[in-house]
Amino acid sequence: MLHTIVLIVENRPGVLVRIAGLFSRRGFNIDSLTVGATDNPDYSRMTITVEGDEVVLEQVTKQLNKLVNVIRVSEMDPKESVDRELAIIKVAAKKEDRSEIMQIVSVFRAKIIDVSPRSLIIEVTGTNDKVEAMVRLLRQFGIKEMARTGKVSMVRGTKAVGP
Amino acid sequence: MGKMTGAQAILECLKLEGVEIIFGLPGGVLLPLYDAIYDSDIRHIIVRHEQAAAHAADGYARATGRVGVCLATSGPGATNLVTGIATAYMDSVPLVAMTGQVPTTLIGKDAFQEADITGITMPVTKHSYLVKDARDIPRIFREAFYIARTGRPGPVLIDLPRDVTVDELDFHYPDIRLPGYNPNLKVHSLQIKKAAAALMEAERPVLYVGGGVKYSDGHRELLKLAERIKAPVTTTLMGVGCFPEDNPLSLGMLGMHGTKYANYAIQEADLILAVGARFDDRVTGKVASFAPQARIIHVDVDPAEIGKNVRVDIPVVGDAKSALSELAKAVGEKPWSPWNEKVAGWKGEYPLCYATEGESIKPQCVLETLYELCPEAVIVTEVGQNQMWAAQFFTHRDPRRFISSGGLGTMGYGFPAAIGAKMGCPDKEVFDIAGDGSFQMNIQELATAVVNEVAVKVIVLNNGVLGMVRQWQDLFYEKRFSSTTLHRIPDFVKVAEAYGALGLRATEPSQLEGVLLEAIESEVMTVVDVIISPDEKVSPMVPAGASLSEILELEEAVPSREAQRAYAGSSASEILELEG
């Protein structure tokens, strides 16, 4: 089972290595990991999706909490949180395929952000499932390159995960 | 406090942290720091190999309860510390390891004697720092000492680039602000209530205690709790000494080379109270069949230990001493029960024992005799058979008087750790129980001990082989003794003398007591070479991966003297007379 964990960490050199090292050392599987700034320059925010059962999740959470540079660890309840991922996809676009591709883009409320004679770059934002679905549909035209940010997640309502 | 260099600031921090001794070895990038040490009141002990600096600081920390400090130069000096840091990490020993580093401008350029030591040690440190600005020195040192000694203790590394030790700063020792570090010491009263109720209900309780009780100084509270509810107590290797082994409730050590009765008690228990112990594989054997009938209460200051290896019914996060003290208050007095009778029966039926036939000196007898001659000694061990015999056959009655590399199992640990322990406790007799294999791994520290007049007594149980591995080859590899015979053992008496130490030797049983007495009375660094048979085994033994119920008895015949004392009610001297 996939779990989503949000971390608030000190914005210091080596923090990412400590977290990545912990996962590899203890044999936990990272599915995706994103890092970015928060409103406070002293802290960064990470969203990690990790594969495993409840026992693994508990160990991951406890071990992360032991790292001195980790300020907060929270597991995201999928029902109580929203999450998004952004992907940019370079897809082969022959003349005869273009209109169909553009239809798909429109259905997914995605955007075309670069056009060239033989390819398009498409930007899509949404849940993992939505991005997956779009990727599946685009595969028939030939995906030349794809970059995904991995998931970021936030609790619904006024509750906040902060330092 | 005014302007000073980084090096001076480091020594000021050490002084403020109460450091009295540093174990280290200089090098190029440490010149500015060593120049400041030249003017300092803090004692610096030059070791002969950096690994020994880490082990000595570790032994000092385990013996005194204070933070041990070691120092090594960049590159190879720093990498030589790694085994010592890993040893301290596995056994939760408070240590601050300082390493030199190439100047900040050269980091990452593969400079002379550069090694990424914070990277290398990341998996084996509680935390680490690379100091990039001299002005951070006071904050980092204060945090490092705080992190090393609080919560679950552990080693912290501080990497010090050369320029940082030269740059000037205004010294100010700041308050600690570590939002991501909150060691949870206070126990939850509801969990204590639940645990106390379970202890009162249990018919067959066992207390299983580890190093956490030693590090929190909780041994008195443990004794009080155990005596109130009449619960038998078994200790891990790290917990040896936390419960007096001459107490009728003591089961001695459990696990692979634990007593039969400790392992039987665990397997029959209906409740286990684990305190400051981590259900290591050497303790549990096959984990699926560990304590099959028992509910488990687990007290640990490190929440990540709870539920890591076994399922726990009542978790209690917090400091072992406060938990034991709260529990002792929350439980009522219980009477001596049929369970106590059953355990006492096992103790009588299956004592630790060893065969006494043959001409050679019995290693078990060395430890028993040493206990009778010097019961208050601090026992430091190497790793292997010597370590297990020292745990089994010396009667341990106080915490911090048994010092051994448990988790990492580092051969070569004992001698430098004994030097550190002796420097921390100069009034105590400190013995390193060694094998000829382990002793040769850090034998160069004889120079450190002699130069600094540290009167450590090394007892080499000399069998000419790597005994523990050989024992496994004997039992599980059809006596194919691949690479465990050392062929040529140096003359340890001559080696000792070459370094300016006293060398003694016992080759037959009649010489043993005299030689040990001479060692005890010696006021200088002493090596006692005790010749034993290569076929001696550590017994009993639970094979790796087997259940604790599957115990092999490898040595039968005469019960240990502690067992004889417990059952005959006779004193040590009477037993000596019987045998004499």
Side-chain angles (χ1 to χ4, degrees):
Chain A
M1 174 164 182
L2 274 183
H3 303 274
T4 306
I5 302 170
V6 169
L7 304 183
I8 304 295
V9 302
E10 285 183 283
N11 187 10
R12 291 230 169 114
V15 175
L16 183 60
V17 181
R18 283 180 203 279
I19 289 166
L22 175 76
F23 276 80
S24 74
R25 190 162 71 245
R26 300 258 175 203
F28 306 139
N29 291 319
I30 297 183
D31 196 70
S32 77
L33 186 155
T34 69
V35 199
T38 65
D39 191 34
N40 182 338
D42 293 342
Y43 302 109
S44 308
R45 182 179 177 113
M46 289 189 187
T47 311
I48 302 177
T49 51
V50 54
E51 174 76 45
D53 59 16
E54 289 301 320
V55 180
V56 170
L57 179 73
E58 187 185 322
Q59 264 298 302
V60 169
T61 312
K62 285 174 165 179
Q63 295 291 350
L64 285 169
N65 260 317
K66 278 171 71 170
L67 296 176
V68 173
N69 300 128
V70 172
I71 310 292
R72 192 83 69 232
V73 182
S74 353
E75 202 218 335
M76 294 285 126
D77 178 345
K79 288 190 214 89
E80 294 300 321
S81 59
V82 286
D83 49 67
R84 288 293 179 270
E85 182 180 10
L86 181 142
I88 49 179
I89 307 157
K90 186 179 287 174
V91 64
K94 285 185 242 143
K95 224 176 200 163
E96 59 269 32
D97 292 336
R98 270 184 199 239
S99 60
E100 194 181 346
I101 293 173
M102 284 163 82
Q103 265 180 11
I104 294 171
V105 166
S106 141
V107 168
F108 278 86
R109 284 184 229 157
K111 269 191 262 176
I112 293 171
I113 54 175
D114 183 67
V115 185
S116 72
R118 289 176 188 203
S119 66
L120 300 170
I121 300 181
I122 296 164
E123 173 198 319
V124 59
T125 308
T127 61
N128 277 102
D129 289 349
K130 176 180 162 183
V131 174
E132 284 295 334
M134 175 131 191
V135 169
R136 267 200 307 276
L137 281 170
L138 291 176
R139 216 165 259 150
Q140 55 181 312
F141 309 107
I143 292 175
K144 290 167 168 286
E145 198 179 344
M146 176 164 75
R148 294 173 67 161
T149 59
K151 189 201 282 187
V152 290
S153 186
M154 192 171 278
V155 183
R156 289 178 188 276
T158 46
K159 221 175 94 187
V161 179
Chain B
M1 198 169 265
K3 277 222 180 295
M4 57 174 79
T5 65
Q8 288 165 334
I10 290 166
L11 287 160
E12 187 60 33
C13 296
L14 296 180
K15 212 165 92 186
L16 288 168
E17 293 298 334
V19 174
E20 50 176 28
I21 196 162
I22 304 171
F23 299 91
L25 193 85
V29 297
L30 287 181
L31 279 161
L33 183 54
Y34 270 91
D35 194 56
I37 288 174
Y38 204 62
D39 293 327
S40 167
D41 299 333
I42 297 175
R43 193 165 174 205
H44 179 274
I45 303 296
I46 320 164
V47 292
R48 298 300 181 272
H49 185 296
E50 290 90 348
Q51 185 189 349
H55 290 327
D58 170 315
Y60 172 90
R62 293 195 210 210
T64 62
R66 296 196 285 270
V67 179
V69 179
C70 59
L71 172 60
T73 193
S74 64
T79 55
N80 276 345
L81 287 182
V82 173
T83 301
I85 294 172
T87 303
Y89 182 72
M90 288 291 268
D91 290 344
S92 307
V93 177
L95 203 69
V96 169
M98 298 183 280
T99 48
Q101 183 55 279
V102 300
T104 48
T105 48
L106 288 180
I107 290 179
K109 307 275 196 281
D110 299 322
F112 176 66
Q113 293 194 327
E114 180 183 1
D116 171 16
I117 196 64
T118 49
I120 290 169
T121 56
M122 205 165 273
V124 293
T125 47
K126 191 171 170 189
H127 195 52
S128 56
Y129 295 91
L130 167 60
V131 186
K132 287 191 170 158
D133 185 332
R135 287 171 300 180
D136 291 335
I137 286 172
R139 172 183 63 82
I140 286 174
F141 273 76
R142 184 151 210 191
E143 287 179 7
F145 276 86
Y146 177 69
I147 291 170
R149 69 168 178 261
T150 52
R152 178 180 185 170
V156 178
L157 182 128
I158 308 176
D159 201 17
L160 297 160
R162 187 185 189 281
D163 49 333
V164 161
T165 63
V166 177
D167 291 347
E168 290 202 330
L169 67 146
D170 279 316
F171 190 90
H172 163 66
Y173 216 42
D175 289 336
I176 288 170
R177 203 188 138 270
L178 285 168
Y181 180 72
N182 305 296
N184 199 350
L185 298 177
K186 230 180 150 255
V187 289
H188 199 289
S189 58
L190 183 67
Q191 294 306 95
I192 291 290
K193 222 180 252 176
K194 279 192 206 163
L199 284 170
M200 290 309 286
E201 276 164 31
E203 286 173 5
R204 302 185 306 282
V206 174
L207 310 190
Y208 146 55
V209 305
V213 173
K214 170 171 66 183
Y215 295 142
S216 70
D217 278 320
H219 54 286
R220 287 179 210 89
E221 290 75 9
L222 171 67
L223 183 64
K224 200 169 152 200
L225 174 67
E227 289 192 328
R228 264 179 90 78
I229 59 172
K230 311 289 179 299
V233 181
T234 179
T235 66
T236 67
L237 185 72
M238 302 317 298
V240 162
C242 286
F243 194 79
E245 289 177 354
D246 50 2
N247 185 299
L249 290 169
S250 170
L251 298 173
M253 186 171 73
L254 81 166
M256 180 175 277
H257 293 298
T259 61
K260 276 190 165 181
Y261 40 94
N263 290 339
Y264 288 158
I266 288 280
Q267 293 307 79
E268 292 261 321
D270 66 350
L271 181 78
I272 287 176
L273 170 63
V275 188
R278 59 186 176 86
F279 297 88
D280 175 76
D281 56 281
R282 285 294 191 262
V283 159
T284 61
K286 187 177 165 193
V287 76
S289 57
F290 176 78
Q293 308 167 43
R295 298 177 72 202
I296 294 178
I297 308 170
H298 191 179
V299 178
D300 208 293
V301 74
D302 179 358
E305 283 306 336
I306 296 175
K308 187 180 82 178
N309 294 342
V310 298
R311 47 144 198 94
V312 169
D313 298 283
I314 306 176
V316 183
V317 177
D319 167 67
K321 181 184 178 136
S322 7
L324 287 166
S325 154
E326 294 297 312
L327 280 172
K329 275 185 244 159
V331 295
E333 188 94 22
K334 279 171 95 172
W336 191 258
S337 68
W339 170 239
N340 293 114
E341 283 305 319
K342 188 163 190 183
V343 170
W346 284 329
K347 279 181 86 167
E349 200 172 340
Y350 309 110
L352 282 174
C353 44
Y354 59 94
T356 48
E357 73 270 13
E359 307 279 286
S360 60
I361 298 176
K362 306 300 287 188
Q364 302 89 341
C365 176
V366 176
L367 273 307
E368 291 179 329
T369 310
L370 184 62
Y371 171 69
E372 285 155 7
L373 298 175
C374 195
E376 302 302 322
V378 175
I379 301 294
V380 188
T381 80
E382 301 289 346
V383 167
Q385 290 183 313
N386 57 76
Q387 177 185 34
M388 290 299 122
W389 288 320
Q392 291 175 327
F393 289 94
F394 191 95
T395 306
H396 303 280
R397 296 175 305 149
D398 293 300
R400 298 197 182 279
R401 284 210 285 110
F402 179 77
I403 295 174
S404 191
S405 166
L408 198 66
T410 308
M411 285 174 72
Y413 166 82
F415 181 36
I419 294 174
K422 179 71 180 173
M423 301 200 85
C425 308
D427 299 334
K428 291 186 184 157
E429 274 299 322
V430 178
F431 287 86
D432 173 34
I433 307 301
D436 49 291
S438 299
F439 185 41
Q440 288 186 77
M441 284 196 180
N442 270 317
I443 199 164
Q444 77 286 345
E445 298 307 317
L446 279 166
T448 309
V450 169
V451 168
N452 293 288
E453 299 180 344
V454 186
V456 165
K457 319 291 166 66
V458 179
I459 297 182
V460 186
L461 301 172
N462 184 349
N463 54 11
V465 296
L466 300 171
M468 187 58 101
V469 176
R470 188 180 193 274
Q471 171 170 338
W472 287 47
Q473 289 172 333
D474 190 335
L475 296 170
F476 310 117
Y477 288 84
E478 299 158 349
K479 296 188 194 292
R480 289 156 53 83
F481 298 127
S482 175
S483 301
T484 46
T485 306
L486 297 177
H487 297 295
R488 179 170 175 98
I489 305 302
D491 181 327
F492 289 122
V493 173
K494 282 190 187 160
V495 172
E497 286 166 358
Y499 276 102
L502 174 65
L504 303 169
R505 178 172 291 127
T507 51
E508 46 191 273
S510 63
Q511 300 166 329
L512 180 64
E513 194 176 327
V515 165
L516 287 180
L517 271 173
E518 208 177 326
I520 291 163
E521 278 157 21
S522 158
E523 287 175 3
V524 298
M525 172 69 229
T526 303
V527 178
V528 187
D529 187 21
V530 180
I531 309 301
I532 64 166
S533 155
D535 293 319
E536 288 292 347
K537 290 195 180 56
V538 176
S539 173
M541 176 175 189
V542 177
S547 146
L548 288 190
S549 315
E550 301 164 45
I551 306 172
L552 305 178
E553 186 65 76
L554 309 172
E555 301 250 354
E556 292 205 47
V558 181
S560 73
R561 292 185 205 167
E562 186 53 46
Q564 293 180 35
R565 274 193 289 276
Y567 283 87
S570 50
S571 73
S573 57
E574 284 170 312
I575 291 168
L576 276 178
E577 276 168 18
L578 280 175
E579 287 198 351

